[in-house]
Amino acid sequence: MTTVETPMGYGSMRRKEDARFIRGRGTYVDDVTLPGMLYGAVLRSPFAHARIVSIDTKAAEAHPKVRAVITGAILDGLKLAWMPTLSYDTQAVLATDKVRFQGQEVAFVVAEDRYAARDALELIDVEYEPLPAVVDARRALDPDAPVIRDDKDGKTDNHIFDWSSGDKDATDRVFSEAEVVVTQDVLYPRVHPAPLETCGAIADFDKVTGKLTIWCNTQAPHAHRTVYAMVAGLPEHKIRIISPDIGGGFGNKVGIYPGYVCAVVGSIVTGRPVKWMEDRSENLMSTSFARDYHMRGEIAATRDGKIRAVRVSVIADHGAFNGTAQPTKFPAGFFHVFTGSYDLEAAHCAVTGVYTNKAPGGVAYACSFRVTEAAYLIERMVDVLAYELGTDPAALRMRNLLRPEQFPYPSPTGWEYDSGDYPRALALAMDIAGYDDLRAEQAAQRERWAAGEVGGTLMGVGISFFTEAVGAGPRKHMDILGLGMADGAELRVHPTGKAVLRISVQSQGQGHETTYAQIVAEELGISPDDIEVVHGDTDQTPFGLGTYGSRSTPVSGAATAVVARKVRERARIVAGAMLEVSPEDLEWEKGRWFVRGDPDQGRTITEIALAAHSSLELPEGVEGHLDATTVYNPPNLTFPFGAYICVVDVDPGTGRVKVRRFVAVDDCGVRINPMIVEGQVHGGLADGIGMALMELIAFDPDGNCLGASFMDYLLPTSMECPSWELGATVTPSPHHPIGAKGVGESATVGSPAAVVNAVLDALKPFGVRHADMPLTPAAVWRAIQGAPLRTDLAIG
Amino acid sequence: MQVTVTVNGEEYTRDVDTRLLLVHFLRDHLGLTGTHWGCDTSNCGVCTVWLDGVPVKSCTVLAVMADGHAVRTVEGLERNGTLDPVQEGFVQCHGLQCGFCTPGMMLTARWLLDHNPDPSEEQIREAISGQSCRCTGYENIVRSVRWAAEHSTVEATK
Ligand code: FES
Ligand code: FES
């Protein structure tokens, strides 16, 4: 078995993809220039909710560099004005009747260069009749709320779905007899993944061959191909999606955006390739946001701190079109993993999704389908309980964590956690942090503070223990638009023993070209340097649903191991023929089959590869060559987990929060490349600081987006981030071929609660039990002054 | 208007619109796509290049302002087939994931090391604080720059 110290074979090997990136020779979509290429730009709505009275494009069309102006009316004639979303809703490609959020797509200009396309937008004259906007999700179901989706037949309200999970009666029963019940309203505000590369595409339609090639920085190229076939009615074999290097995704690049469809139409109309790249404000205003969950959590416990049940109700703000990307059966994603890491008698959640006049999208920003909201809620609630009981939050967690012998653990909301040793992870984190010393330091500081010492900061220590649920499918439970979540892999060993692996998923920085080569290398004994990983081109790779929800390693990584093992079995037959022994008499050691009991009699994988392509006579029914394909259908999700401890210093005079330390112990099962795992954790921890302290997509009462640039939507910099202190435990997944679990989003899921809990721990002397993110200096200062929870933020 | 800009030691003369941004000049007119673009407001720093030896955000400089001046981009970090220690450092310490912020980060790092060959972690953080990275949480970028500091010879930094 692998351990932290000795990970799989090639361990922390340096990344193969770095060679091009450090030379500035990556190929991001905006780096691609095709012959004769034109540039598109989108005209967007200045209003959150307005009827379109008229659109005059004459002046724009007269611009000497403009080649086409496309409006909703034109698309309507092509039956393309609306497109399906990933949640079986519809979304306007270009608005025809109304605009439903600020920044919505209204018209598309195609011109000879980027600047001219932008100029021409100014020449389009749109007359709007503004309507009242629905901004506060909690008011969306009021009887007098304006109806946003009157395009849908018979729609008279803003309701999208009601969904629940768990046993309501059993939960209510526990609550009715519980010694202690605490209730807390918790908002997870709207945030945005904001990868540094914005979304974009180049559409290239060849009239002669009928082939449509789309270069697009999508995380899910195969799913895109199928959806384009559905949207545009083009035959799927005539569509090729090339997803080149991607400058970060974090869920932002899963869906199909109207700009992509417009680029396709633009190319069909002009007969030339059309590039569309959004700018930053378009990215922040119109593409997949994340969170926006208005939650009420309740915990039932005994007086001495045994947690018995959790009850949750949620209003989920899905914006103007329900475009969330999660498995069809789960409109609230995997939110029902909100019971977290604890042993409960019962649990129940009820989620109501509503339309508002805000950007559509929903599940994005490294959240594993709403696990982030769930983990934040339960970890905040446990701290609220600790506050009320006057217990130490670490001790309260230790008392209630699932025990190793309870795995596989059937959760009260229907999950089966695969494996875990939770107390070990928490103990390790406390050990690294020096938990007792921190508490002693804090106690001494509080004493000085209570004695009237003025000035200085107040320290806080925050804990979060999270359980993630990643690696969607299995396909029978999980699909998007009917496409089951299983992923293919193809492996071909060339005659000289070098190999090419083709996979369905796409990297946005995760280093697949390295880690997938490592998996094959481990299984076949070929050097990773001799294995080429091909991804991101639907004409060259097998079908699969793509990279999001931390599913690459659990699903595609598993497919890679399985396909390599198939090749190994074929190699065994070939080796048997070479050695003139029965394959059953052969044994494997890394890179070589040999005769059992006679180790000198053997053939290396390179020798076998050549023989497989030679004139060697093979047993009846055995095909030549050395290759295999597979489709991996995961039997279950994997459940990585972790214990995080954050130490902050809060200046009560200004409300400023400084993160002093952050300890993160992650258990993601077997680590293929620990260096890459740690890098991903680092990035997620920075996300957590961003969301907890800075990032917010807020709106004013008219629905104007107040987070539409990096001057307003604040990303954490090197100055806000401490030097991360990582630890690891390894509890392999029992059902994954190499025991690995996903990790890409773990830190984003787990860290916000640790930061917020730390800040509130610091504010304890002021009697502050809860405050909502982001804990900006102003928010902290207001909390200290005893202000009620900000309701204006709740709008955001 | 005609401009002549020296980029990575080579002179380029082009006819450009006066409003053309330097970042677009480099990318679209010279085909040097290693310099990236990421925001509308001079915040993200992925467009960072050197102008006359000083890091600037090339989305905030007009191409015409670079007329008669020298620009250094990521493509000019490698010298005679030898990687700059900063480039090596980013590989060794996993200072990049998606690679989008990397060219700008490396150029700032090179500038820092030229002026302060032995920077502290705090000084490195300060130097890159005007540039965002969404993937690495900065930790490994800091380590990469330290690696470069420890592995720089006088030769390599010239
Ligand atoms: S592109 Fe963001 S600072 Fe230049
Ligand atoms: S490596 Fe992706 S933004 Fe820095």
Side-chain angles (χ1 to χ4, degrees):
Chain A
M1 195 200 289
T2 64
T3 65
V4 182
E5 295 73 34
T6 54
M8 264 185 60
Y10 292 85
S12 295
M13 69 175 276
R14 300 303 180 252
R15 299 198 325 166
K16 296 164 94 171
E17 37 277 270
D18 289 354
R20 61 179 185 275
F21 292 133
I22 55 158
R23 290 172 173 86
R25 293 192 37 198
T27 305
Y28 302 90
V29 67
D30 200 21
D31 299 345
V32 176
T33 303
L34 301 178
M37 193 173 77
L38 301 171
Y39 293 80
V42 173
L43 181 72
R44 293 177 183 276
S45 164
F47 296 106
H49 201 189
R51 203 159 292 288
I52 295 178
V53 178
S54 64
I55 304 180
D56 182 351
T57 59
K58 275 198 277 319
E61 280 157 22
H63 188 289
K65 285 189 168 176
V66 167
R67 294 294 159 261
V69 180
I70 298 162
T71 59
I74 293 172
L75 291 184
D76 212 19
L78 303 166
K79 301 260 176 297
L80 282 176
W82 292 80
M83 64 178 183
T85 71
L86 298 180
S87 292
Y88 287 107
D89 194 359
T90 49
Q91 172 172 0
V93 176
L94 292 176
T96 48
D97 53 343
K98 289 200 304 190
V99 287
R100 292 174 170 84
F101 67 94
Q102 189 189 46
Q104 187 179 336
E105 300 78 1
V106 174
F108 189 74
V109 167
V110 181
E112 291 289 340
D113 64 64
R114 302 180 197 265
Y115 288 45
R118 291 280 163 155
D119 287 344
L121 294 184
E122 305 288 319
L123 302 174
I124 300 175
D125 196 12
V126 185
E127 194 186 327
Y128 296 96
E129 180 190 307
L131 300 166
V134 180
V135 182
D136 184 344
R138 296 162 307 172
R139 303 255 71 93
L141 296 181
D142 287 358
D144 58 345
V147 178
I148 298 168
R149 295 302 300 277
D150 45 2
D151 56 293
K152 294 164 92 81
D153 267 348
K155 191 79 183 144
T156 55
D157 60 23
N158 296 314
H159 181 264
I160 307 177
F161 66 84
D162 284 314
W163 186 78
S164 64
S165 179
D167 186 334
K168 183 167 185 330
D169 293 341
T171 309
D172 290 349
R173 232 180 356 260
V174 177
F175 270 88
S176 68
E177 61 182 42
E179 291 171 6
V180 179
V181 172
V182 292
T183 304
Q184 182 65 56
D185 284 340
V186 173
L187 168 69
Y188 206 135
R190 184 175 276 236
V191 291
H192 197 282
L196 288 188
E197 178 203 32
T198 58
C199 301
I202 305 167
D204 185 11
F205 182 70
D206 186 326
K207 276 204 168 78
V208 178
T209 61
K211 184 110 182 176
L212 172 66
T213 304
I214 302 175
W215 295 73
C216 180
N217 48 18
T218 169
Q219 298 174 223
H222 290 278
H224 272 217
R225 185 186 66 198
T226 305
V227 175
Y228 280 117
M230 291 170 171
V231 173
L234 291 167
E236 194 169 356
H237 67 296
K238 291 288 190 188
I239 303 175
R240 176 185 186 187
I241 312 291
I242 302 174
S243 182
D245 291 324
I246 298 184
F250 318 111
N252 188 218
K253 292 168 178 166
V254 175
I256 291 187
Y257 295 120
Y260 303 164
V261 179
C262 288
V264 171
V265 174
S267 181
I268 292 174
V269 168
T270 61
R272 289 164 67 176
V274 173
K275 178 188 278 185
W276 172 71
M277 283 303 299
E278 61 183 7
D279 65 26
R280 179 54 59 188
S281 63
E282 296 182 279
N283 177 254
L284 289 168
M285 281 172 85
S286 72
T287 60
S288 243
F289 72 94
R291 327 292 189 241
D292 223 342
Y293 258 35
H294 302 251
M295 305 180 276
R296 167 159 298 176
E298 294 171 281
I299 271 194
T302 62
R303 215 164 281 119
D304 64 352
K306 176 79 189 84
I307 301 173
R308 298 187 58 199
V310 178
R311 200 160 54 186
V312 184
S313 64
V314 180
I315 300 280
D317 185 336
H318 280 230
F321 308 102
N322 184 20
T324 62
Q326 79 270 299
T328 307
K329 274 190 189 173
F330 304 112
F334 297 168
F335 182 75
H336 51 311
V337 75
F338 69 89
T339 58
S341 316
Y342 306 105
D343 188 15
L344 305 180
E345 289 169 47
H348 183 260
C349 74
V351 183
T352 297
V354 297
Y355 290 118
T356 60
N357 287 114
K358 301 182 200 168
V363 180
Y365 200 176
C367 70
S368 310
F369 304 123
R370 305 283 189 200
V371 183
T372 310
E373 289 89 327
Y376 177 68
L377 178 76
I378 184 70
E379 288 309 294
R380 195 73 274 291
M381 290 305 298
V382 169
D383 259 39
V384 169
L385 178 64
Y387 180 98
E388 290 300 339
L389 295 177
T391 47
D392 178 79
L396 183 60
R397 283 180 172 82
M398 247 339 163
R399 158 119 205 242
N400 288 284
L401 284 178
L402 291 166
R403 296 179 312 280
E405 63 274 16
Q406 288 177 279
F407 292 87
Y409 170 74
S411 90
T413 47
W415 302 98
E416 186 181 288
Y417 294 5
D418 56 349
S419 64
D421 186 344
Y422 293 0
R424 178 168 67 138
L426 181 53
L428 178 59
M430 290 169 70
D431 195 42
I432 297 173
Y435 188 75
D436 294 341
D437 292 346
L438 288 170
R439 286 295 179 204
E441 181 190 344
Q442 183 181 46
Q445 191 192 51
R446 280 191 184 154
E447 235 166 73
R448 289 197 304 276
W449 190 79
E453 185 179 295
V454 286
T457 55
L458 284 171
M459 72 181 281
V461 182
I463 303 175
S464 152
F465 196 106
F466 66 92
T467 297
E468 258 264 68
V470 305
R475 61 197 288 272
K476 73 166 183 246
H477 294 315
M478 303 198 190
D479 70 274
I480 287 186
L481 290 181
L483 303 171
M485 290 186 157
D487 282 59
E490 292 175 15
L491 179 62
R492 185 175 300 276
V493 184
H494 297 314
T496 54
K498 316 287 181 197
V500 56
L501 172 76
R502 300 170 188 278
I503 50 173
S504 59
V505 295
Q506 167 63 343
S507 166
Q508 312 116 48
Q510 294 91 336
H512 291 171
E513 290 161 41
T514 307
T515 49
Y516 286 72
Q518 286 182 258
I519 296 173
V520 174
E522 183 71 8
E523 298 292 338
L524 290 185
I526 300 173
S527 162
D529 292 332
D530 292 338
I531 299 160
E532 183 80 359
V533 176
V534 178
H535 58 152
D537 181 344
T538 57
D539 270 8
Q540 294 204 52
T541 55
F543 188 85
L545 278 222
T547 299
Y548 45 84
S550 298
R551 66 189 297 282
S552 284
T553 295
V555 186
S556 202
T560 299
V562 168
V563 81
R565 287 173 191 178
K566 281 191 178 183
V567 164
R568 198 165 71 198
E569 282 311 305
R570 171 87 66 82
R572 179 185 205 155
I573 296 170
V574 176
M578 292 169 80
L579 295 161
E580 298 181 356
V581 297
S582 159
E584 279 74 61
D585 293 334
L586 295 176
E587 240 176 78
W588 175 258
E589 67 180 350
K590 209 196 246 180
R592 181 172 178 270
W593 284 107
F594 65 90
V595 180
R596 192 171 299 120
D598 187 3
D600 290 348
Q601 289 294 314
R603 290 290 183 270
T604 65
I605 194 81
T606 310
E607 292 164 342
I608 296 169
L610 190 57
H613 291 84
S614 74
S615 53
L616 174 76
E617 200 159 327
L618 294 169
E620 195 68 30
V622 177
E623 295 175 348
H625 300 179
L626 198 53
D627 52 33
T629 67
T630 198
V631 176
Y632 186 77
N633 178 28
N636 186 9
L637 298 162
T638 66
F639 293 81
F641 57 92
Y644 290 177
I645 299 179
C646 177
V647 184
V648 298
D649 294 300
V650 179
D651 183 338
T654 62
R656 181 166 178 269
V657 176
K658 173 86 187 153
V659 179
R660 188 206 298 183
R661 290 178 65 196
F662 202 111
V663 173
V665 171
D666 273 274
D667 190 325
C668 58
V670 171
R671 297 178 169 214
I672 299 161
N673 184 320
M675 174 189 84
I676 288 178
V677 168
E678 286 174 12
Q680 295 213 333
V681 171
H682 289 165
L685 296 178
D687 286 346
I689 288 194
M691 284 179 280
L693 302 180
M694 310 162 73
E695 298 181 25
L696 174 69
I697 301 279
F699 293 84
D700 76 5
D702 295 326
N704 292 306
C705 178
L706 305 178
S709 82
F710 280 161
M711 292 207 282
D712 307 294
Y713 191 77
L714 304 180
L715 305 184
T717 74
S718 51
M719 302 306 278
E720 285 80 40
C721 295
S723 181
W724 316 109
E725 301 168 66
L726 303 194
T729 59
V730 174
T731 314
S733 169
H735 65 75
H736 188 279
I738 57 174
K741 303 180 179 188
V743 72
E745 301 166 313
S746 284
T748 313
V749 165
S751 56
V755 180
V756 172
N757 286 345
V759 174
L760 287 158
D761 184 54
L763 299 189
K764 215 168 163 196
F766 298 101
V768 181
R769 189 174 91 162
H770 176 74
D772 283 319
M773 298 185 280
L775 295 172
T776 59
V780 170
W781 191 82
R782 260 195 305 269
I784 292 172
Q785 309 310 311
L789 292 184
R790 281 186 71 184
T791 49
D792 57 332
L793 264 191
I795 293 173
Chain B
M1 159 178 179
Q2 201 178 70
V3 296
T4 299
V5 186
T6 306
V7 183
N8 302 326
E10 227 172 283
E11 226 174 64
Y12 296 87
T13 301
R14 295 285 188 279
D15 238 335
V16 301
D17 255 5
T18 47
R19 63 174 175 171
L20 183 72
L21 299 176
L22 179 58
V23 63
H24 288 142
F25 177 73
L26 294 168
R27 292 177 50 83
D28 295 348
H29 292 243
L30 305 187
L32 295 171
T33 54
T35 303
H36 299 143
W37 172 90
C39 73
D40 322 320
T41 48
S42 268
N43 288 95
C44 75
V46 302
C47 60
T48 302
V49 301
W50 285 14
L51 184 62
D52 293 338
V54 179
V56 297
K57 289 177 173 172
S58 64
C59 70
T60 316
V61 176
L62 295 169
V64 294
M65 293 160 73
D67 184 26
H69 296 272
V71 171
R72 188 180 187 191
T73 70
V74 63
E75 289 90 346
L77 273 177
E78 193 174 352
R79 292 277 164 93
N80 307 320
T82 307
L83 290 178
D84 189 288
V86 166
Q87 291 172 298
E88 287 275 14
F90 271 71
V91 175
Q92 291 308 325
C93 301
H94 189 31
L96 67 153
Q97 291 181 33
C98 78
F100 206 68
C101 70
T102 315
M105 289 287 182
M106 293 192 304
L107 283 156
T108 299
R110 179 73 271 149
W111 179 86
L112 172 69
L113 294 176
D114 283 353
H115 293 79
N116 178 0
D118 188 26
S120 67
E121 180 191 325
E122 206 43 45
Q123 288 168 325
I124 296 169
R125 285 184 181 272
E126 173 120 33
I128 60 167
S129 63
Q131 290 160 257
S132 301
C133 173
R134 215 52 176 143
C135 302
T136 66
Y138 304 101
E139 178 77 21
N140 285 348
I141 295 180
V142 174
R143 290 185 196 164
S144 302
V145 181
R146 273 306 311 165
W147 189 99
E150 282 152 25
H151 292 79
S152 289
T153 58
V154 180
E155 238 86 314
T157 59
K158 278 275 147 63

